[in-house]
Amino acid sequence: MAVLPTPHIALEQWRALIAVVESGGYAQAAEALFKSQSSVSYAVQKIESVLGVRAFEIQGRKAVLTPTGHMLYRRALALVAEAGDLEQAARRLSAGWEAELGL
């Protein structure tokens, strides 16, 4: 069996990054996620520090995605969507639905 790398960033942290982008800022993201602004800010800072990159740069009072931030955002969307799909598939199996493959 192959040994998979252990992620150092939680899905919740990726969700925070997504929320900042889609809400237009940290305060709005905090409101959308029902979290404090400091916890959202910390989640994004954690991503940046673990990866050694800058996802946002502050321009005036607005957080603007860097080119690296754009890539992280796109990949985070796919990651969170895939995690949701996996959970939904597991729920279907636990409810007695069998997987069906069509060709």
PDB file of all heavy atoms in Angstrom, residues 43-75:
ATOM      1  N   ALA A  43      -6.807  31.367  10.095  1.00  0.00           N
ATOM      2  CA  ALA A  43      -6.862  30.207   9.196  1.00  0.00           C
ATOM      3  C   ALA A  43      -6.119  30.498   7.898  1.00  0.00           C
ATOM      4  O   ALA A  43      -5.345  29.661   7.408  1.00  0.00           O
ATOM      5  CB  ALA A  43      -8.317  29.830   8.908  1.00  0.00           C
ATOM      6  N   VAL A  44      -6.324  31.678   7.345  1.00  0.00           N
ATOM      7  CA  VAL A  44      -5.644  32.045   6.096  1.00  0.00           C
ATOM      8  C   VAL A  44      -4.152  32.239   6.345  1.00  0.00           C
ATOM      9  O   VAL A  44      -3.318  31.780   5.557  1.00  0.00           O
ATOM     10  CB  VAL A  44      -6.290  33.300   5.471  1.00  0.00           C
ATOM     11  CG1 VAL A  44      -5.480  33.782   4.269  1.00  0.00           C
ATOM     12  CG2 VAL A  44      -7.732  33.013   5.063  1.00  0.00           C
ATOM     13  N   GLN A  45      -3.789  32.861   7.460  1.00  0.00           N
ATOM     14  CA  GLN A  45      -2.372  33.032   7.795  1.00  0.00           C
ATOM     15  C   GLN A  45      -1.685  31.683   7.969  1.00  0.00           C
ATOM     16  O   GLN A  45      -0.519  31.512   7.602  1.00  0.00           O
ATOM     17  CB  GLN A  45      -2.215  33.867   9.062  1.00  0.00           C
ATOM     18  CG  GLN A  45      -2.530  35.327   8.862  1.00  0.00           C
ATOM     19  CD  GLN A  45      -2.527  36.101  10.173  1.00  0.00           C
ATOM     20  OE1 GLN A  45      -2.319  35.548  11.244  1.00  0.00           O
ATOM     21  NE2 GLN A  45      -2.792  37.391  10.076  1.00  0.00           N
ATOM     22  N   LYS A  46      -2.404  30.717   8.521  1.00  0.00           N
ATOM     23  CA  LYS A  46      -1.851  29.375   8.712  1.00  0.00           C
ATOM     24  C   LYS A  46      -1.533  28.741   7.360  1.00  0.00           C
ATOM     25  O   LYS A  46      -0.465  28.145   7.172  1.00  0.00           O
ATOM     26  CB  LYS A  46      -2.846  28.519   9.504  1.00  0.00           C
ATOM     27  CG  LYS A  46      -2.416  27.108   9.751  1.00  0.00           C
ATOM     28  CD  LYS A  46      -1.385  27.022  10.831  1.00  0.00           C
ATOM     29  CE  LYS A  46      -1.163  25.544  11.164  1.00  0.00           C
ATOM     30  NZ  LYS A  46      -0.052  25.364  12.039  1.00  0.00           N
ATOM     31  N   ILE A  47      -2.449  28.876   6.404  1.00  0.00           N
ATOM     32  CA  ILE A  47      -2.201  28.355   5.054  1.00  0.00           C
ATOM     33  C   ILE A  47      -0.942  29.003   4.481  1.00  0.00           C
ATOM     34  O   ILE A  47      -0.057  28.318   3.966  1.00  0.00           O
ATOM     35  CB  ILE A  47      -3.411  28.628   4.130  1.00  0.00           C
ATOM     36  CG1 ILE A  47      -4.616  27.784   4.551  1.00  0.00           C
ATOM     37  CG2 ILE A  47      -3.045  28.341   2.657  1.00  0.00           C
ATOM     38  CD1 ILE A  47      -5.912  28.158   3.850  1.00  0.00           C
ATOM     39  N   GLU A  48      -0.881  30.321   4.590  1.00  0.00           N
ATOM     40  CA  GLU A  48       0.260  31.052   4.045  1.00  0.00           C
ATOM     41  C   GLU A  48       1.571  30.641   4.712  1.00  0.00           C
ATOM     42  O   GLU A  48       2.580  30.439   4.034  1.00  0.00           O
ATOM     43  CB  GLU A  48       0.041  32.557   4.185  1.00  0.00           C
ATOM     44  CG  GLU A  48      -1.076  33.087   3.301  1.00  0.00           C
ATOM     45  CD  GLU A  48      -1.330  34.568   3.496  1.00  0.00           C
ATOM     46  OE1 GLU A  48      -1.181  35.066   4.641  1.00  0.00           O
ATOM     47  OE2 GLU A  48      -1.695  35.229   2.515  1.00  0.00           O
ATOM     48  N   SER A  49       1.552  30.485   6.018  1.00  0.00           N
ATOM     49  CA  SER A  49       2.800  30.145   6.712  1.00  0.00           C
ATOM     50  C   SER A  49       3.228  28.707   6.457  1.00  0.00           C
ATOM     51  O   SER A  49       4.410  28.440   6.255  1.00  0.00           O
ATOM     52  CB  SER A  49       2.688  30.420   8.210  1.00  0.00           C
ATOM     53  OG  SER A  49       1.802  29.523   8.835  1.00  0.00           O
ATOM     54  N   VAL A  50       2.293  27.785   6.436  1.00  0.00           N
ATOM     55  CA  VAL A  50       2.634  26.378   6.181  1.00  0.00           C
ATOM     56  C   VAL A  50       3.202  26.213   4.778  1.00  0.00           C
ATOM     57  O   VAL A  50       4.170  25.475   4.566  1.00  0.00           O
ATOM     58  CB  VAL A  50       1.403  25.461   6.387  1.00  0.00           C
ATOM     59  CG1 VAL A  50       1.627  24.078   5.813  1.00  0.00           C
ATOM     60  CG2 VAL A  50       1.053  25.361   7.860  1.00  0.00           C
ATOM     61  N   LEU A  51       2.611  26.916   3.805  1.00  0.00           N
ATOM     62  CA  LEU A  51       3.035  26.767   2.418  1.00  0.00           C
ATOM     63  C   LEU A  51       4.146  27.738   2.015  1.00  0.00           C
ATOM     64  O   LEU A  51       4.750  27.589   0.958  1.00  0.00           O
ATOM     65  CB  LEU A  51       1.836  26.949   1.478  1.00  0.00           C
ATOM     66  CG  LEU A  51       0.704  25.945   1.663  1.00  0.00           C
ATOM     67  CD1 LEU A  51      -0.440  26.259   0.721  1.00  0.00           C
ATOM     68  CD2 LEU A  51       1.190  24.516   1.477  1.00  0.00           C
ATOM     69  N   GLY A  52       4.389  28.749   2.851  1.00  0.00           N
ATOM     70  CA  GLY A  52       5.416  29.730   2.525  1.00  0.00           C
ATOM     71  C   GLY A  52       5.043  30.616   1.346  1.00  0.00           C
ATOM     72  O   GLY A  52       5.907  30.950   0.533  1.00  0.00           O
ATOM     73  N   VAL A  53       3.764  30.957   1.235  1.00  0.00           N
ATOM     74  CA  VAL A  53       3.277  31.785   0.128  1.00  0.00           C
ATOM     75  C   VAL A  53       2.394  32.898   0.665  1.00  0.00           C
ATOM     76  O   VAL A  53       2.004  32.895   1.838  1.00  0.00           O
ATOM     77  CB  VAL A  53       2.460  30.951  -0.897  1.00  0.00           C
ATOM     78  CG1 VAL A  53       3.322  29.868  -1.517  1.00  0.00           C
ATOM     79  CG2 VAL A  53       1.218  30.344  -0.255  1.00  0.00           C
ATOM     80  N   ARG A  54       2.061  33.843  -0.192  1.00  0.00           N
ATOM     81  CA  ARG A  54       1.100  34.900   0.138  1.00  0.00           C
ATOM     82  C   ARG A  54      -0.120  34.691  -0.739  1.00  0.00           C
ATOM     83  O   ARG A  54      -0.035  34.721  -1.965  1.00  0.00           O
ATOM     84  CB  ARG A  54       1.692  36.277  -0.146  1.00  0.00           C
ATOM     85  CG  ARG A  54       2.894  36.640   0.665  1.00  0.00           C
ATOM     86  CD  ARG A  54       2.602  37.115   2.039  1.00  0.00           C
ATOM     87  NE  ARG A  54       1.629  38.212   1.979  1.00  0.00           N
ATOM     88  CZ  ARG A  54       1.021  38.696   3.032  1.00  0.00           C
ATOM     89  NH1 ARG A  54       1.285  38.211   4.218  1.00  0.00           N
ATOM     90  NH2 ARG A  54       0.162  39.666   2.925  1.00  0.00           N
ATOM     91  N   ALA A  55      -1.277  34.464  -0.123  1.00  0.00           N
ATOM     92  CA  ALA A  55      -2.527  34.293  -0.870  1.00  0.00           C
ATOM     93  C   ALA A  55      -3.174  35.646  -1.158  1.00  0.00           C
ATOM     94  O   ALA A  55      -3.815  35.814  -2.194  1.00  0.00           O
ATOM     95  CB  ALA A  55      -3.491  33.410  -0.088  1.00  0.00           C
ATOM     96  N   PHE A  56      -3.015  36.577  -0.238  1.00  0.00           N
ATOM     97  CA  PHE A  56      -3.627  37.897  -0.372  1.00  0.00           C
ATOM     98  C   PHE A  56      -2.592  38.975  -0.146  1.00  0.00           C
ATOM     99  O   PHE A  56      -1.623  38.782   0.577  1.00  0.00           O
ATOM    100  CB  PHE A  56      -4.733  38.080   0.680  1.00  0.00           C
ATOM    101  CG  PHE A  56      -5.900  37.161   0.505  1.00  0.00           C
ATOM    102  CD1 PHE A  56      -5.983  35.991   1.239  1.00  0.00           C
ATOM    103  CD2 PHE A  56      -6.926  37.461  -0.373  1.00  0.00           C
ATOM    104  CE1 PHE A  56      -7.057  35.136   1.101  1.00  0.00           C
ATOM    105  CE2 PHE A  56      -8.010  36.608  -0.530  1.00  0.00           C
ATOM    106  CZ  PHE A  56      -8.078  35.446   0.210  1.00  0.00           C
ATOM    107  N   GLU A  57      -2.836  40.122  -0.766  1.00  0.00           N
ATOM    108  CA  GLU A  57      -2.118  41.328  -0.397  1.00  0.00           C
ATOM    109  C   GLU A  57      -3.176  42.371  -0.083  1.00  0.00           C
ATOM    110  O   GLU A  57      -4.248  42.389  -0.695  1.00  0.00           O
ATOM    111  CB  GLU A  57      -1.146  41.782  -1.483  1.00  0.00           C
ATOM    112  CG  GLU A  57      -1.690  41.788  -2.888  1.00  0.00           C
ATOM    113  CD  GLU A  57      -0.610  42.056  -3.926  1.00  0.00           C
ATOM    114  OE1 GLU A  57       0.514  41.557  -3.774  1.00  0.00           O
ATOM    115  OE2 GLU A  57      -0.932  42.759  -4.882  1.00  0.00           O
ATOM    116  N   ILE A  58      -2.908  43.159   0.916  1.00  0.00           N
ATOM    117  CA  ILE A  58      -3.864  44.168   1.346  1.00  0.00           C
ATOM    118  C   ILE A  58      -3.641  45.424   0.518  1.00  0.00           C
ATOM    119  O   ILE A  58      -2.538  45.954   0.457  1.00  0.00           O
ATOM    120  CB  ILE A  58      -3.711  44.469   2.855  1.00  0.00           C
ATOM    121  CG1 ILE A  58      -3.852  43.178   3.671  1.00  0.00           C
ATOM    122  CG2 ILE A  58      -4.731  45.522   3.296  1.00  0.00           C
ATOM    123  CD1 ILE A  58      -5.154  42.439   3.488  1.00  0.00           C
ATOM    124  N   GLN A  59      -4.696  45.867  -0.139  1.00  0.00           N
ATOM    125  CA  GLN A  59      -4.672  47.105  -0.921  1.00  0.00           C
ATOM    126  C   GLN A  59      -5.735  48.021  -0.333  1.00  0.00           C
ATOM    127  O   GLN A  59      -6.935  47.778  -0.510  1.00  0.00           O
ATOM    128  CB  GLN A  59      -4.934  46.835  -2.401  1.00  0.00           C
ATOM    129  CG  GLN A  59      -3.844  45.999  -3.046  1.00  0.00           C
ATOM    130  CD  GLN A  59      -4.115  45.721  -4.513  1.00  0.00           C
ATOM    131  OE1 GLN A  59      -5.143  46.089  -5.063  1.00  0.00           O
ATOM    132  NE2 GLN A  59      -3.168  45.048  -5.154  1.00  0.00           N
ATOM    133  N   GLY A  60      -5.286  49.021   0.393  1.00  0.00           N
ATOM    134  CA  GLY A  60      -6.225  49.883   1.112  1.00  0.00           C
ATOM    135  C   GLY A  60      -6.831  49.090   2.256  1.00  0.00           C
ATOM    136  O   GLY A  60      -6.124  48.608   3.129  1.00  0.00           O
ATOM    137  N   ARG A  61      -8.135  48.928   2.209  1.00  0.00           N
ATOM    138  CA  ARG A  61      -8.831  48.129   3.230  1.00  0.00           C
ATOM    139  C   ARG A  61      -9.323  46.807   2.662  1.00  0.00           C
ATOM    140  O   ARG A  61     -10.139  46.125   3.277  1.00  0.00           O
ATOM    141  CB  ARG A  61     -10.002  48.932   3.784  1.00  0.00           C
ATOM    142  CG  ARG A  61      -9.573  50.177   4.537  1.00  0.00           C
ATOM    143  CD  ARG A  61     -10.740  50.934   5.102  1.00  0.00           C
ATOM    144  NE  ARG A  61     -11.625  50.117   5.918  1.00  0.00           N
ATOM    145  CZ  ARG A  61     -11.545  49.988   7.239  1.00  0.00           C
ATOM    146  NH1 ARG A  61     -10.598  50.636   7.898  1.00  0.00           N
ATOM    147  NH2 ARG A  61     -12.407  49.240   7.894  1.00  0.00           N
ATOM    148  N   LYS A  62      -8.842  46.440   1.483  1.00  0.00           N
ATOM    149  CA  LYS A  62      -9.340  45.246   0.805  1.00  0.00           C
ATOM    150  C   LYS A  62      -8.235  44.215   0.630  1.00  0.00           C
ATOM    151  O   LYS A  62      -7.093  44.556   0.314  1.00  0.00           O
ATOM    152  CB  LYS A  62      -9.904  45.664  -0.556  1.00  0.00           C
ATOM    153  CG  LYS A  62     -10.629  44.564  -1.268  1.00  0.00           C
ATOM    154  CD  LYS A  62     -11.379  45.117  -2.462  1.00  0.00           C
ATOM    155  CE  LYS A  62     -11.931  43.985  -3.277  1.00  0.00           C
ATOM    156  NZ  LYS A  62     -13.320  43.823  -3.232  1.00  0.00           N
ATOM    157  N   ALA A  63      -8.592  42.951   0.828  1.00  0.00           N
ATOM    158  CA  ALA A  63      -7.673  41.841   0.584  1.00  0.00           C
ATOM    159  C   ALA A  63      -7.846  41.403  -0.871  1.00  0.00           C
ATOM    160  O   ALA A  63      -8.945  41.061  -1.295  1.00  0.00           O
ATOM    161  CB  ALA A  63      -7.990  40.677   1.519  1.00  0.00           C
ATOM    162  N   VAL A  64      -6.748  41.437  -1.621  1.00  0.00           N
ATOM    163  CA  VAL A  64      -6.775  41.099  -3.046  1.00  0.00           C
ATOM    164  C   VAL A  64      -5.914  39.856  -3.257  1.00  0.00           C
ATOM    165  O   VAL A  64      -4.797  39.760  -2.739  1.00  0.00           O
ATOM    166  CB  VAL A  64      -6.231  42.283  -3.886  1.00  0.00           C
ATOM    167  CG1 VAL A  64      -6.208  41.930  -5.361  1.00  0.00           C
ATOM    168  CG2 VAL A  64      -7.066  43.532  -3.634  1.00  0.00           C
ATOM    169  N   LEU A  65      -6.430  38.905  -4.029  1.00  0.00           N
ATOM    170  CA  LEU A  65      -5.680  37.681  -4.300  1.00  0.00           C
ATOM    171  C   LEU A  65      -4.411  37.965  -5.093  1.00  0.00           C
ATOM    172  O   LEU A  65      -4.424  38.757  -6.037  1.00  0.00           O
ATOM    173  CB  LEU A  65      -6.534  36.706  -5.113  1.00  0.00           C
ATOM    174  CG  LEU A  65      -7.532  35.848  -4.369  1.00  0.00           C
ATOM    175  CD1 LEU A  65      -8.392  35.072  -5.357  1.00  0.00           C
ATOM    176  CD2 LEU A  65      -6.851  34.905  -3.415  1.00  0.00           C
ATOM    177  N   THR A  66      -3.358  37.296  -4.698  1.00  0.00           N
ATOM    178  CA  THR A  66      -2.130  37.291  -5.486  1.00  0.00           C
ATOM    179  C   THR A  66      -2.308  36.241  -6.588  1.00  0.00           C
ATOM    180  O   THR A  66      -3.256  35.440  -6.542  1.00  0.00           O
ATOM    181  CB  THR A  66      -0.930  36.900  -4.606  1.00  0.00           C
ATOM    182  OG1 THR A  66      -1.135  35.559  -4.144  1.00  0.00           O
ATOM    183  CG2 THR A  66      -0.747  37.854  -3.440  1.00  0.00           C
ATOM    184  N   PRO A  67      -1.416  36.185  -7.565  1.00  0.00           N
ATOM    185  CA  PRO A  67      -1.500  35.097  -8.556  1.00  0.00           C
ATOM    186  C   PRO A  67      -1.474  33.714  -7.882  1.00  0.00           C
ATOM    187  O   PRO A  67      -2.216  32.810  -8.270  1.00  0.00           O
ATOM    188  CB  PRO A  67      -0.269  35.325  -9.442  1.00  0.00           C
ATOM    189  CG  PRO A  67      -0.056  36.818  -9.376  1.00  0.00           C
ATOM    190  CD  PRO A  67      -0.397  37.180  -7.940  1.00  0.00           C
ATOM    191  N   THR A  68      -0.629  33.563  -6.868  1.00  0.00           N
ATOM    192  CA  THR A  68      -0.602  32.299  -6.121  1.00  0.00           C
ATOM    193  C   THR A  68      -1.942  32.073  -5.421  1.00  0.00           C
ATOM    194  O   THR A  68      -2.459  30.953  -5.380  1.00  0.00           O
ATOM    195  CB  THR A  68       0.533  32.318  -5.081  1.00  0.00           C
ATOM    196  OG1 THR A  68       1.770  32.456  -5.778  1.00  0.00           O
ATOM    197  CG2 THR A  68       0.560  31.053  -4.250  1.00  0.00           C
ATOM    198  N   GLY A  69      -2.517  33.133  -4.874  1.00  0.00           N
ATOM    199  CA  GLY A  69      -3.819  33.042  -4.221  1.00  0.00           C
ATOM    200  C   GLY A  69      -4.911  32.568  -5.162  1.00  0.00           C
ATOM    201  O   GLY A  69      -5.784  31.797  -4.768  1.00  0.00           O
ATOM    202  N   HIS A  70      -4.859  33.022  -6.411  1.00  0.00           N
ATOM    203  CA  HIS A  70      -5.842  32.559  -7.408  1.00  0.00           C
ATOM    204  C   HIS A  70      -5.754  31.052  -7.589  1.00  0.00           C
ATOM    205  O   HIS A  70      -6.770  30.358  -7.637  1.00  0.00           O
ATOM    206  CB  HIS A  70      -5.627  33.256  -8.762  1.00  0.00           C
ATOM    207  CG  HIS A  70      -6.186  34.625  -8.834  1.00  0.00           C
ATOM    208  ND1 HIS A  70      -7.532  34.883  -8.971  1.00  0.00           N
ATOM    209  CD2 HIS A  70      -5.589  35.835  -8.780  1.00  0.00           C
ATOM    210  CE1 HIS A  70      -7.734  36.181  -9.012  1.00  0.00           C
ATOM    211  NE2 HIS A  70      -6.573  36.787  -8.882  1.00  0.00           N
ATOM    212  N   MET A  71      -4.525  30.541  -7.687  1.00  0.00           N
ATOM    213  CA  MET A  71      -4.336  29.097  -7.854  1.00  0.00           C
ATOM    214  C   MET A  71      -4.820  28.348  -6.614  1.00  0.00           C
ATOM    215  O   MET A  71      -5.521  27.342  -6.724  1.00  0.00           O
ATOM    216  CB  MET A  71      -2.856  28.798  -8.131  1.00  0.00           C
ATOM    217  CG  MET A  71      -2.542  27.317  -8.384  1.00  0.00           C
ATOM    218  SD  MET A  71      -2.278  26.291  -6.911  1.00  0.00           S
ATOM    219  CE  MET A  71      -0.873  27.065  -6.151  1.00  0.00           C
ATOM    220  N   LEU A  72      -4.468  28.858  -5.425  1.00  0.00           N
ATOM    221  CA  LEU A  72      -4.917  28.209  -4.191  1.00  0.00           C
ATOM    222  C   LEU A  72      -6.437  28.194  -4.107  1.00  0.00           C
ATOM    223  O   LEU A  72      -7.031  27.187  -3.708  1.00  0.00           O
ATOM    224  CB  LEU A  72      -4.335  28.924  -2.970  1.00  0.00           C
ATOM    225  CG  LEU A  72      -2.835  28.816  -2.762  1.00  0.00           C
ATOM    226  CD1 LEU A  72      -2.408  29.688  -1.591  1.00  0.00           C
ATOM    227  CD2 LEU A  72      -2.415  27.374  -2.540  1.00  0.00           C
ATOM    228  N   TYR A  73      -7.069  29.296  -4.473  1.00  0.00           N
ATOM    229  CA  TYR A  73      -8.527  29.389  -4.447  1.00  0.00           C
ATOM    230  C   TYR A  73      -9.158  28.339  -5.363  1.00  0.00           C
ATOM    231  O   TYR A  73     -10.048  27.604  -4.947  1.00  0.00           O
ATOM    232  CB  TYR A  73      -8.966  30.802  -4.841  1.00  0.00           C
ATOM    233  CG  TYR A  73     -10.445  30.940  -5.080  1.00  0.00           C
ATOM    234  CD1 TYR A  73     -11.358  30.800  -4.043  1.00  0.00           C
ATOM    235  CD2 TYR A  73     -10.934  31.219  -6.350  1.00  0.00           C
ATOM    236  CE1 TYR A  73     -12.719  30.926  -4.257  1.00  0.00           C
ATOM    237  CE2 TYR A  73     -12.290  31.355  -6.571  1.00  0.00           C
ATOM    238  CZ  TYR A  73     -13.180  31.202  -5.532  1.00  0.00           C
ATOM    239  OH  TYR A  73     -14.524  31.321  -5.749  1.00  0.00           O
ATOM    240  N   ARG A  74      -8.681  28.256  -6.602  1.00  0.00           N
ATOM    241  CA  ARG A  74      -9.244  27.274  -7.551  1.00  0.00           C
ATOM    242  C   ARG A  74      -9.068  25.849  -7.035  1.00  0.00           C
ATOM    243  O   ARG A  74      -9.997  25.034  -7.085  1.00  0.00           O
ATOM    244  CB  ARG A  74      -8.585  27.416  -8.918  1.00  0.00           C
ATOM    245  CG  ARG A  74      -9.007  28.632  -9.693  1.00  0.00           C
ATOM    246  CD  ARG A  74      -8.512  28.602 -11.144  1.00  0.00           C
ATOM    247  NE  ARG A  74      -7.101  28.286 -11.278  1.00  0.00           N
ATOM    248  CZ  ARG A  74      -6.113  29.184 -11.249  1.00  0.00           C
ATOM    249  NH1 ARG A  74      -6.379  30.447 -11.086  1.00  0.00           N
ATOM    250  NH2 ARG A  74      -4.857  28.799 -11.394  1.00  0.00           N
ATOM    251  N   ARG A  75      -7.883  25.547  -6.520  1.00  0.00           N
ATOM    252  CA  ARG A  75      -7.624  24.187  -6.035  1.00  0.00           C
ATOM    253  C   ARG A  75      -8.409  23.894  -4.761  1.00  0.00           C
ATOM    254  O   ARG A  75      -8.860  22.775  -4.534  1.00  0.00           O
ATOM    255  CB  ARG A  75      -6.124  23.980  -5.801  1.00  0.00           C
ATOM    256  CG  ARG A  75      -5.232  24.153  -7.032  1.00  0.00           C
ATOM    257  CD  ARG A  75      -5.280  22.990  -8.007  1.00  0.00           C
ATOM    258  NE  ARG A  75      -4.934  21.717  -7.445  1.00  0.00           N
ATOM    259  CZ  ARG A  75      -3.733  21.149  -7.484  1.00  0.00           C
ATOM    260  NH1 ARG A  75      -2.732  21.771  -8.070  1.00  0.00           N
ATOM    261  NH2 ARG A  75      -3.532  19.971  -6.952  1.00  0.00           N
TER     262      ARG A  75
END
